[in-house]
Amino acid sequence: MGYVAIKGGGQAISGAEKLLEFIRTRQGETGEPLDIETIENQLYFLHSRIMSEGGLFHPKLASLAIKQSMGDTLEASFALRAYRSTKPRLIESPILDTSNMRVTRRISASFKDIPGGQMLGASTDYALRLMRTELLDESPDAFKSIAGKWLDENRYDEIPDTFPKVLDALRDEGLLPPVNEAISEQKPFDITREPLVFPVPRSAALSTMARSETGSILALAYSNMRGYGDIHPTVAELRVGYLPVMLPHPITGELIEAGEVLMTECEVVAMYEDEENGDKPSFSLGYGACFGHNEVKAISMSILDRALQSGMKNGPTNPSEDPEFVLLHIDGIDSMGFCTHYKMPHYVTFQSDMDRLRTTQEKHTNKHEEASQKGADNV
Amino acid sequence: MFNQTFSADTQFRKASAEYNFGFLDEYAKKEVRRSVLKAIAIPGYQVPYSSREMPMGRGFGTGGLQLTLSLIGKKDTLKVIDQGSDDSVNAVNLRSFIEMTCPGIDTTTKVSEATLIQSRHRIPERELREDQILVLQVPYPDALVVVEPSEDKRKIMHGEADYSRLLVKLYEDIVKFNEITISHRYPTRINGHYVIDPSPIPRWDVPKLNNSKSLILLGAGREKKIYAVPPYTLAEPLEFDDIPFRVESFNDSTGKRRTCWRCGCDHSFLDEFIDAQTGDKRYQCSDSDYCDEQIKSQVNNQELEG
Amino acid sequence: MLKQDLLGAHIKAIWLAETQQALFNSLMQVMSRPGRLDNWEQWLENSPAYLAVLATLLDGEVSLNDVHGLLTESDWPMLQAKKSEVELANYLLCDASKMVHIQPSLGTLSSPDFSATLILKVAQLSVKQGSMNLKLTGPGINGEAQVAVSGMEQAWLENRNGWCSAFPLGIDCILVDDTQIMALPRTTRVEILEAVHNGENN
Ligand SMILES: [Zn+2]
């Protein structure tokens, strides 16, 4: 039987929790609790972001995390990540081929015509950011009719499920180096099971970036875009869609489709470099991918991937090329946790700080008194 | 599970049904345990581990917590301290999380009753025994970070036991201030090789690391490191011949040792605070259990004498 | 959920999470205090002690080399460890009564934890006298400790002392007899005392 020691400060904690819960429900009788489906669909981009930063593709729990954290992205991803971290790794998928992705959007900035064609899909890229005041008071009926109407009017079933990859075409032309089979056979680094000990393989960098906080990775990638680096990327292909996840059958080992995950993938082509080993010069590549629909994150990641490859090869010449600097500062859960911890009591260390300051001050005063004494003696 | 309403202060309790004993899955515990053995075998070396996300913030003791959860069993009695007190908010929070996820364990505020002690910023005043284990929460595990930001380079310096730059830093302090200004997290050399950051304990607690009867484990969750000071192992704060290492002074301006206003103790680390009514400065034992114990023994003595 | 839980009620104690918690605590104490002997008899149910050590520490994330073939084929799936060459293995299981020429991983200067842990099976560990008496000093030992080991080739200790001569590089040893365990981390200075003839000092 467990004996419980004390309950003192616990009251404060429970009080704080109750207040938070009050804030969540303070609409009172006019309010409706957010339902999980609504969050997944109407807060689509937020939901995507939480799954990717939480590092767990679990649409239902991601919605719950958003709900219980009242929309705080850091807190929501944190809850999802903490849940994930209690789960053992039971089975591993082989490397999944994204050309099998059921694409909902794909664009290329490098060619006007790409094999299979451009497909703009759902995007805010060309939207006018005007306030849509008609949504202030949206009627449920109007809301409900929109999706049905769209489905009636669009012949979406004519769109092929999969598209060839732009990079394959570039590779066929010899503009990109051939796929390095030796690397693709290496077992990818699992950041949930192994700590990062630098230097780390590229797979460790990629998976760290895939879970990174969107704003943080954007900031570091932006530093590279602005001039603390010179990747000069071109988006060869950005695609959003559902990727089938293949898992080996636990008994037969045969690959079976376990489901699909919504993903954003970005491949950038960057300027070529001199090949020291005398190989034919070719463009270089940066790769980004994350759960959910989050294009800014995927593009930022692909740029940093390219920058980090440079840094790993030639030594970093700016922060965005330094694997330690980038990979240890982009995790939202780590950084927000540490930022928050400064609110905890630091009485003991502060006492110790005061002791040092007082001793130093005393010595300073003594020295000055001595000096002025000496000065007086010399007169 | 999604339609349940969680009453505010029982979120964890409801959720805990879905979690393993000790919250972490057994594989996560094994990894921590393997790292602990390595940490003991290489005293002071920071063993990297994958460090799972815990349901509280990085920086709130998740490294210590992962150690505790990987070590604790139903026969253990746990004490959790923050700033020397069992009753501070963070200590309460960690303790109730452990109670919740480890049904069957006992908790205590008395050092003497505990088998496992998790602490932030203090080592108990009372000397620990061989059968006790102290787990310290660590925000910054690497003492070299003040002179070298790159971990890759720091690892080489540690391997070679090359602490010359750190010593230069200390020496510059002396030139500038005529005093080593490091107040807490005092760099301490373990077994003559690795220099550790002993966590933000005050200098007062550093001598307790030396030749300790109990095993001391240090866990940094965010920085993903575990290290150890094994029992009966040399732990020396860095110092110079002419400027020795000194613990905090609690003497008043006349050189008299201040005492705890509660228990009268003249040999413990004191918290300083300002009396709200009188505006006077007051001093009180930082280690609340030790303070209570002193009061109790005085009462007992009086009873015996009376 | 763990594999061992899925396999039902007939599972031996050493595979259960609760036992492994207790065994690990013992292992941690013996690693912290070289020379200390712990008896695991109550947990073993006829399983060899070395198997209990492996069950406590290993899973699919680490590699093992069974140098002398002490394990049975059915132990491997329970341990989940990857099979690996001696030079690369995280853990080596050896019969200390047989000497072999091996080179375990000693780690690197930056990462001395990339080193092997050796589990050495001996005939008998004792705090009294045995065929080989050792004086231990170093971290974890209050002054000095003495232990006696029987059924261990002296060359193992000589090799061990060589592998551990350039701290922080080295290997850590866990010695087991039928029911007892003891550890020699790389920091322990091991001195082989003059063999004492039977009958003396009793
Ligand atoms: Zn007191």
Side-chain angles (χ1 to χ4, degrees):
Chain A
M1 190 47 219
Y3 162 71
V4 173
I6 46 164
K7 279 281 155 230
Q11 282 177 357
I13 295 172
S14 135
E17 267 183 31
K18 283 185 178 134
L19 251 176
L20 260 183
E21 188 63 355
F22 165 75
I23 289 179
R24 193 176 72 83
T25 57
R26 68 185 164 186
Q27 266 177 295
E29 297 201 341
T30 59
E32 290 276 337
L34 270 173
D35 80 90
I36 298 303
E37 299 271 303
T38 304
I39 294 170
E40 185 179 341
N41 292 293
Q42 295 192 46
L43 301 178
Y44 169 70
F45 289 109
L46 172 63
H47 184 261
S48 275
R49 183 168 166 174
I50 300 312
M51 289 197 296
S52 119
E53 294 175 13
L56 178 69
F57 193 88
H58 198 315
K60 209 173 196 178
L61 285 185
S63 298
L64 176 63
I66 292 167
K67 177 173 173 158
Q68 71 185 39
S69 67
M70 292 179 260
D72 183 321
T73 56
L74 291 164
E75 285 289 348
S77 334
F78 192 170
L80 198 60
R81 184 88 70 83
Y83 171 82
R84 181 207 195 283
S85 79
T86 63
K87 299 293 160 208
R89 185 180 66 183
L90 295 177
I91 203 162
E92 277 171 63
S93 75
I95 293 174
L96 302 173
D97 182 352
T98 50
S99 63
N100 295 328
M101 187 187 261
R102 191 161 65 78
V103 172
T104 62
R105 164 167 162 78
R106 63 159 338 214
I107 49 162
S108 171
S110 51
F111 302 104
K112 195 168 166 209
D113 273 325
I114 49 176
Q118 308 251 11
M119 180 172 147
L120 193 56
S123 168
T124 56
D125 291 350
Y126 303 100
L128 297 174
R129 273 71 165 193
L130 301 173
M131 297 312 299
R132 292 181 59 197
T133 46
E134 77 274 16
L135 295 184
L136 273 176
D137 201 9
E138 196 178 14
S139 88
D141 289 341
F143 176 85
K144 283 170 192 163
S145 66
I146 297 169
K149 196 160 161 248
W150 187 89
L151 290 172
D152 289 344
E153 285 173 359
N154 286 281
R155 318 221 37 182
Y156 47 88
D157 49 350
E158 283 176 6
I159 303 167
D161 275 350
T162 60
F163 289 85
K165 302 210 65 169
V166 175
L167 287 190
D168 290 339
L170 288 172
R171 233 176 230 124
D172 290 345
E173 282 190 46
L175 299 174
L176 280 175
V179 175
N180 185 336
E181 297 291 346
I183 289 182
S184 39
E185 274 163 25
Q186 279 170 14
K187 199 172 148 60
F189 191 98
D190 184 349
I191 54 165
T192 71
R193 292 295 178 270
E194 276 181 78
L196 295 182
V197 177
F198 293 89
V200 294
R202 184 173 167 216
S203 62
L206 289 172
S207 37
T208 304
M209 291 194 282
R211 295 204 304 184
S212 67
E213 204 270 332
T214 307
S216 311
I217 195 173
L218 170 63
L220 291 184
Y222 183 50
S223 75
N224 186 289
M225 303 175 214
R226 269 195 74 250
Y228 287 89
D230 55 350
I231 297 304
H232 301 294
T234 306
V235 172
E237 183 168 357
L238 176 106
R239 45 168 70 194
V240 181
Y242 294 87
L243 180 67
V245 176
M246 309 301 287
L247 290 177
H249 187 279
I251 294 163
T252 64
E254 190 193 342
L255 283 182
I256 45 172
E257 190 181 321
E260 34 176 41
V261 292
L262 177 63
M263 291 200 69
T264 308
E265 183 189 50
C266 178
E267 282 151 332
V268 294
V269 169
M271 277 315 286
Y272 59 91
E273 280 176 0
D274 293 340
E275 287 298 329
E276 285 159 20
N277 51 12
D279 283 356
K280 189 168 73 172
S282 57
F283 283 132
S284 56
L285 268 181
Y287 183 79
C290 60
F291 282 148
H293 188 166
N294 190 340
E295 298 176 17
V296 160
K297 180 167 171 179
I299 297 167
S300 299
M301 175 172 166
S302 61
I303 289 169
L304 285 176
D305 172 45
R306 179 62 190 78
L308 290 178
Q309 287 182 65
S310 256
M312 287 171 183
K313 196 169 143 206
N314 310 319
T317 54
N318 57 59
S320 62
E321 289 177 357
D322 183 339
E324 269 198 58
F325 189 82
V326 171
L327 302 178
L328 295 182
H329 298 120
I330 51 174
D331 190 71
I333 282 91
D334 285 357
S335 56
M336 79 81 103
F338 206 52
C339 178
T340 312
H341 115 282
Y342 285 109
K343 293 180 280 186
M344 281 206 294
H346 284 78
Y347 312 137
V348 172
T349 52
F350 194 68
Q351 183 71 45
S352 195
D353 286 344
M354 285 196 295
D355 167 86
R356 287 294 76 186
L357 180 59
R358 281 172 184 156
T359 310
T360 313
Q361 280 178 340
E362 231 164 75
K363 288 201 171 171
H364 180 85
T365 314
N366 292 345
K367 209 161 115 188
H368 277 256
E369 275 169 6
E370 250 171 54
S372 56
Q373 191 59 44
K374 260 186 204 154
D377 289 347
N378 287 344
V379 170
Chain B
M1 63 175 281
F2 297 103
N3 298 325
Q4 276 177 24
T5 19
F6 296 139
S7 77
D9 55 350
T10 55
Q11 288 177 24
F12 282 146
R13 271 167 221 284
K14 284 270 164 59
S16 68
E18 293 181 23
Y19 293 102
N20 191 26
F21 178 90
F23 184 75
L24 299 168
D25 65 83
E26 293 301 319
Y27 297 104
K29 290 182 190 173
K30 274 192 176 170
E31 194 211 1
V32 171
R33 290 170 183 169
R34 288 192 294 260
S35 307
V36 165
L37 291 192
K38 280 279 198 273
I40 294 167
I42 316 169
Y45 170 71
Q46 304 162 54
V47 182
Y49 76 115
S50 63
S51 185
R52 303 294 204 267
E53 285 79 12
M54 303 306 288
M56 54 268 291
R58 296 285 208 199
F60 284 69
T62 58
L65 187 62
Q66 288 178 75
L67 280 169
T68 297
L69 294 173
S70 302
L71 301 183
I72 200 164
K74 286 179 183 155
K75 288 183 183 147
D76 278 305
T77 303
L78 174 76
K79 173 179 165 76
V80 183
I81 340 169
D82 189 325
Q83 311 292 302
S85 159
D86 300 78
D87 200 21
S88 62
V89 194
N90 192 49
V92 171
N93 199 33
L94 286 171
R95 182 171 43 245
S96 71
F97 175 72
I98 299 167
E99 279 166 355
M100 215 176 307
T101 52
C102 305
I105 63 150
D106 289 332
T107 60
T108 183
T109 61
K110 294 198 176 71
V111 168
S112 55
E113 290 176 359
T115 54
L116 191 56
I117 301 158
Q118 178 172 336
S119 176
R120 171 172 175 261
H121 293 193
R122 281 306 313 273
I123 295 177
E125 300 285 358
R126 173 175 286 280
E127 188 182 21
L128 299 178
R129 299 184 308 261
E130 289 198 350
D131 62 322
Q132 296 178 308
I133 293 162
L134 176 66
V135 170
L136 289 172
Q137 303 170 197
V138 180
Y140 310 90
D142 200 328
L144 282 175
V145 80
V146 292
V147 292
E148 175 52 64
S150 158
E151 183 170 339
D152 200 11
K153 291 184 187 140
R154 291 198 302 264
K155 281 177 79 76
I156 296 168
M157 292 161 75
H158 278 300
E160 293 170 345
D162 171 10
Y163 297 106
S164 49
R165 283 165 67 191
L166 192 59
L167 287 164
V168 168
K169 172 90 176 43
L170 295 192
Y171 185 72
E172 281 170 354
D173 254 21
I174 295 169
V175 171
K176 216 190 274 175
F177 299 111
N178 196 22
E179 184 69 39
I180 297 174
T181 58
I182 300 174
S183 54
H184 53 279
R185 293 175 55 206
Y186 198 93
T188 304
R189 191 168 213 151
I190 307 302
N191 190 34
H193 189 102
Y194 289 100
V195 169
I196 64 163
D197 181 322
S199 89
I201 52 172
R203 300 191 307 291
W204 183 265
D205 288 341
V206 170
K208 296 175 190 160
L209 298 171
N210 186 40
N211 218 24
S212 153
K213 286 183 179 145
S214 77
L215 166 65
I216 300 168
L217 297 172
L218 299 100
R222 185 181 48 85
E223 295 284 344
K224 304 178 169 61
K225 301 287 185 326
I226 288 171
Y227 52 109
V229 182
Y232 302 111
T233 297
L234 193 61
E236 312 157 284
L238 293 188
E239 60 184 349
F240 297 95
D241 290 340
D242 47 341
I243 308 266
F245 165 83
R246 270 197 295 244
V247 301
E248 288 80 358
S249 158
F250 291 98
N251 292 346
D252 63 17
S253 52
T254 67
K256 193 163 169 278
R257 177 52 150 96
R258 296 183 206 276
T259 54
C260 168
W261 74 277
R262 264 184 97 222
C263 73
C265 176
D266 63 358
H267 56 271
S268 69
F269 186 88
L270 299 173
D271 278 344
E272 163 181 334
F273 58 98
I274 298 180
D275 190 296
Q277 255 117 52
T278 63
D280 293 340
K281 254 189 214 160
R282 271 201 182 176
Y283 294 85
Q284 183 180 324
C285 295
S286 146
D287 183 338
S288 58
D289 171 54
Y290 192 67
C291 193
D292 290 346
E293 205 179 275
Q294 306 258 49
I295 291 173
K296 204 180 274 174
S297 75
Q298 284 158 14
V299 172
N300 287 345
N301 286 343
Q302 276 165 8
E303 277 168 6
L304 283 177
E305 285 161 17
Chain C
M1 200 190 279
L2 274 182
K3 204 175 252 179
Q4 49 253 48
D5 300 330
L6 291 168
L7 292 176
H10 302 295
I11 203 81
K12 282 195 173 174
I14 60 164
W15 304 106
L16 299 178
E18 205 171 330
T19 314
Q20 291 179 358
Q21 183 271 333
L23 294 182
F24 175 73
N25 263 284
S26 162
L27 206 45
M28 180 171 67
Q29 285 295 351
V30 297
M31 189 62 87
S32 306
R33 301 166 197 282
R36 167 173 158 159
L37 294 183
D38 274 15
N39 197 316
W40 286 10
E41 197 166 5
Q42 56 164 320
W43 307 107
L44 293 177
E45 300 170 318
N46 299 322
S47 300
Y50 57 79
L51 188 60
V53 173
L54 296 176
T56 301
L57 293 178
L58 271 47
D59 60 24
E61 302 295 318
V62 292
S63 58
L64 168 70
N65 187 292
D66 179 12
V67 177
H68 293 104
L70 291 171
L71 297 177
T72 63
E73 219 27 66
S74 61
D75 293 331
W76 282 93
M78 293 297 281
L79 292 170
Q80 301 173 25
K82 294 172 276 207
K83 289 188 184 182
S84 150
E85 295 158 47
V86 172
E87 294 74 23
L88 301 173
N90 303 118
Y91 292 87
L92 297 174
L93 175 61
C94 310
D95 181 343
S97 68
K98 299 173 188 157
M99 194 51 223
V100 281
H101 294 284
I102 55 169
Q103 180 56 56
S105 164
L106 306 180
T108 65
L109 209 51
S110 299
S111 297
D113 55 319
F114 292 176
S115 54
T117 300
L118 271 60
I119 293 104
L120 298 170
K121 181 185 175 291
V122 304
Q124 179 78 49
L125 294 167
S126 159
V127 286
K128 297 195 192 101
Q129 298 290 318
S131 53
M132 191 163 56
N133 298 307
L134 310 177
K135 185 176 110 182
L136 313 179
T137 50
I141 304 163
N142 189 7
E144 64 169 68
Q146 290 205 14
V147 287
V149 185
S150 304
M152 180 180 197
E153 282 286 327
Q154 189 166 323
W156 270 109
L157 276 177
E158 287 158 4
N159 282 343
R160 179 266 174 202
N161 288 349
W163 291 326
C164 297
S165 59
F167 185 84
L169 304 187
I171 49 124
D172 308 305
C173 297
I174 298 168
L175 275 62
V176 295
D177 64 13
D178 289 342
T179 60
Q180 299 182 101
I181 71 159
M182 180 190 115
L184 294 176
R186 68 193 67 187
T187 49
T188 307
R189 284 177 296 281
V190 181
E191 212 180 305
I192 303 166
L193 298 175
E194 292 289 311
V196 179
H197 297 294
N198 282 342
E200 284 181 30
N201 283 351
N202 276 348

